[in-house]
Amino acid sequence: MSQLFANVKELPPDPLFGLKARYNQDKRSDKVDLGIGAYRDNNGKPWILPAVKQAEQKLINSPDYNHEYLSIGGYEPFYTSAAKVLLGDESKALSPSRIASQQSLSGTGALHLAGLFLKKFYIGNGPQPAIYLSSPTWANHKQVFETLGLQVKTYPYWHAETKSLDLTGFLNTIREAKQGSIFLLHACAHNPTGLDPTPQQWDQILKELDSRKHFIIFDSAYQGFASGDLEKDAYPIRRAINDGLVSQSPIIICQSFAKNVGMYGERVGAIHFILPHDDAQFIKAIKSQLNLMTRCEISNPPAYGAKIVSAILHDEKLYKQWKEDLKTMSSRIIKMRQTLRKKLEALGTPGKWNHITDQTGMFSFTGLTPGQVEKLEKKHGVYLVSSGRASVAGLNEGNIDKVAKAIDDVVRNASSKL
Ligand code: LMR
């Protein structure tokens, strides 16, 4: 049979989910999972946010609770209020003739819809639109766009030597890229580096993108998770759209609620297509096309998670609780960053460790080499991505000593065999 499908070659496991599978098979009782970006509490357990628990009760007890289909575009109370979370309640861009929003299968589904839409319709950059991704970026970005036939390029982002932002390289690429190229920006808590531009650097980046008429996609997967403050984490989005720093081209925002609501498996997300000026006819057309794409792929989006998030966003008490939950998660992560750095410095581990606390969000780009990461996994049962990315959310008071000592060992004995 296989000769009928000569090109079906077995692929290597996914870098993140393959790592998770190896971790699950490891029998060591003191193993540590710093792989996939999912929040864990101080006991290393998944955490159901109190806001989510309360919203679930509210939903289940409601007389309207049912499992009917949503419409093709998803749950309207969810995606309209999701746009407000991004842009703020007062944003002029919420005008129904400026924004087309639709529910998606979390952030990845939104990115896929964005790529599909741009591949099909975007002519700003000729027939083969190029999309620029940060180097490095989330392991899934490249393949999402490449499988759609988009040409993927990169812009410099991480300066390995200084472990800081390569702003000059980033700005040069924006200037040199063909006018009307597509640029994917991480709105906050950059994955994998945990390194975000400062507000001043964001302004420079956005102005430069606008002057070259590039098309921006914001990937917003960690709003509120990075700093604990929804507004602060939306800085580049609100500057670009509300303050008009980007006025020559529409913007797409791909929004995920996996991390900031802790509903990883429910795939709650949205895509928002925002125009710089009102154009009701165009918005209607965009909506109808997004609807067709959704209908062809998934018929209509899943309801449960969207209803939960909507309940949180529409209830003052639950919204307040959610903001507290965001603080609980972000402050525990910040504390773990500080503790890890302190422990490594106390051990006298060779190298500088300030980047661990300079970075923000779920991840730390540790600077460990693939060889050191392999040794961490095999010798110590500490699992992180081969790029050296560690999910700080996997650290807790019970395992942080072990992790610091394990890092110390692999850094000091870099050349020793496993
Ligand atoms: C991660 O980067 O670990 C997460 O976004 C999980 C995923 O879907 O890859």
Side-chain angles (χ1 to χ4, degrees), residues 14 16-17 35-38 108 138-140 191 222 259 267 363 385 389:
D14 179 82
L16 292 163
F17 282 82
I36 279 200
T108 309
W138 177 45
N140 208 18
N191 180 1
Y222 295 90
K259 326 271 179 177
R267 319 309 292 139
F363 305 112
V385 186
R389 187 196 85 169

Side-chain angles (χ1 to χ4, degrees), residues 394-407:
L395 292 172
N396 57 59
E397 277 156 22
N399 65 20
I400 199 158
D401 248 329
K402 177 202 160 92
V403 171
K405 284 183 188 144
I407 293 177

